[in-house]
Amino acid sequence: MPDLSVQLAPKHQRGLLLKNPVLTASGTFGYGLEYAELFDIQRLGAIVCKGTTLYPRPGNPQPRLAETPAGVLNSIGLQNIGVEALVKEIAPVWAGWKVPVIVNIAGETIGEYAQLASRLEGVPGVAALEVNISCPNVAAGGLEFGTSPRLAAEVIAAVKVVTSLPVMVKLSPNVADIAEIGVAVAEAGADALTAINTLKGMAIDLKRRRPLLGNRYGGLSGPAIKPVALYMVYELAGAVDIPVIGCGGIASAEDALEFIMAGAGAVQVGSAGFANPEAALEVLAGIEAFVEREGVRSLSDLVGVARR
Ligand SMILES: Cc1cc2nc3c(=O)[nH]c(=O)nc-3n(C[C@H](O)[C@H](O)[C@H](O)COP(=O)(O)O)c2cc1C
């Protein structure tokens, strides 16, 4: 059997070694609990849980989802149970799992990100953090942290000081130059980058003559964003020397392999799981079949081959 294992935090003291490169994307797989009853989630490389904030959040007004010809628009608004409930009720379940769980965190101030990271420090069941920087910075009039290299780096530096866990940074595609942001957070100590989060988008309800989503605009995901995500992963892989995790429109092993050849060390499956909850496992099975068929000894031999 070829070696599919990946080290997602090579510069980190403990590292983050996964048995395979297929993860679930934040916000599309809940806390993994419901899926654990549907199929063997322990076979996944890792699970990234839904975005977690310091306090519980009810999320945005309905409607919060709209279908588009090649993707989904969502404006969930980070609805979640808050970090206390996560630590007390969910993490103990994860602690009994073989599959590592990565907690995605979101804050409105740099202090909130740091508080979240400290609260998760030493909690059994939490393998790493994924920092979502596509969040409005309340102290700077709502400018998203992820759109400014300086602010993004400040968030990551503040998180790194208080955590001993590997830190992945989830990048926003809604920027002029993603490599600039990637380099800034890598210099601030990021162990890996996840690219990309959703692209800003909207839809209009013709009957009501109003924006369709309760929050007016939302984030686009699914097949429509795959070429954008692939391009950004390619750009990032050429700009940083930490692993890049590809995310955006991945629904098949072929999609995943494109990301890997573009330079991604691992992939996340998001919206594809809505239509097919087992999508991530099918992506994994397809990667396994490809490497065996092609006589690839180690997945690492494929990472970035399209760049040479
Ligand atoms: C309903 C929904 C909720 C999401 N919630 C989060 C979240 O809480 N935190 C985050 O970093 N990304 C979140 N995302 C973004 C996904 O993790 C992923 O980056 C994006 O959907 C692109 O991947 P995909 O095309 O495979 O879905 C969410 C996406 C969707 C569709």
Side-chain angles (χ1 to χ4, degrees), residues 128-258:
L129 303 178
E130 183 181 67
V131 184
N132 175 5
I133 53 174
S134 304
C135 305
N137 176 2
V138 169
L143 178 79
E144 285 183 13
F145 293 100
T147 61
S148 150
R150 185 182 55 80
L151 275 178
E154 279 178 27
V155 170
I156 302 315
V159 165
K160 284 293 284 189
V161 171
V162 295
T163 188
S164 66
L165 293 169
V167 174
M168 293 155 46
V169 183
K170 178 89 172 269
L171 298 178
S172 167
N174 303 304
V175 295
D177 181 359
I178 196 150
E180 188 188 22
I181 312 284
V183 168
V185 295
E187 280 171 0
D191 294 293
L193 307 175
T194 305
I196 55 176
N197 212 316
T198 53
L199 278 154
K200 286 211 164 100
M202 74 180 299
I204 303 287
D205 179 340
L206 296 186
K207 266 215 176 106
R208 289 170 43 243
R209 303 183 181 189
R210 307 282 312 146
L212 196 151
L213 294 170
N215 189 45
R216 285 176 295 151
Y217 64 88
L220 181 65
S221 61
I225 73 167
K226 193 190 101 181
V228 178
L230 197 54
Y231 157 72
M232 291 188 164
V233 164
Y234 191 92
E235 283 288 294
L236 286 164
V240 298
D241 61 356
I242 52 175
V244 179
I245 299 148
C247 176
I250 298 175
S252 67
E254 288 74 20
D255 293 334
L257 286 159
E258 279 192 68

Side-chain angles (χ1 to χ4, degrees), residues 35-153:
Y35 295 88
E37 291 170 15
L38 292 179
F39 61 92
D40 186 8
I41 61 166
Q42 309 299 334
R43 281 164 51 204
L44 293 165
I47 287 168
V48 183
C49 83
K50 130 197 294 199
T52 299
T53 51
L54 208 46
Y55 304 105
R57 279 173 65 116
N60 284 329
Q62 300 281 357
R64 308 196 292 196
L65 281 177
E67 281 203 41
T68 72
V72 186
L73 273 171
N74 93 81
S75 62
I76 304 294
L78 292 176
Q79 178 186 5
N80 79 100
I81 59 176
V83 73
E84 267 326 303
L86 179 123
V87 167
K88 296 207 174 94
E89 294 156 28
I90 314 283
V93 181
W94 294 338
W97 289 0
K98 275 192 298 202
V99 59
V101 181
I102 297 163
V103 176
N104 179 290
I105 58 172
E108 290 185 343
T109 62
I110 291 175
E112 272 192 22
Y113 281 102
Q115 274 179 273
L116 278 158
S118 347
R119 185 64 190 89
L120 292 162
E121 177 65 5
V123 173
V126 178
L129 303 178
E130 183 181 67
V131 184
N132 175 5
I133 53 174
S134 304
C135 305
N137 176 2
V138 169
L143 178 79
E144 285 183 13
F145 293 100
T147 61
S148 150
R150 185 182 55 80
L151 275 178

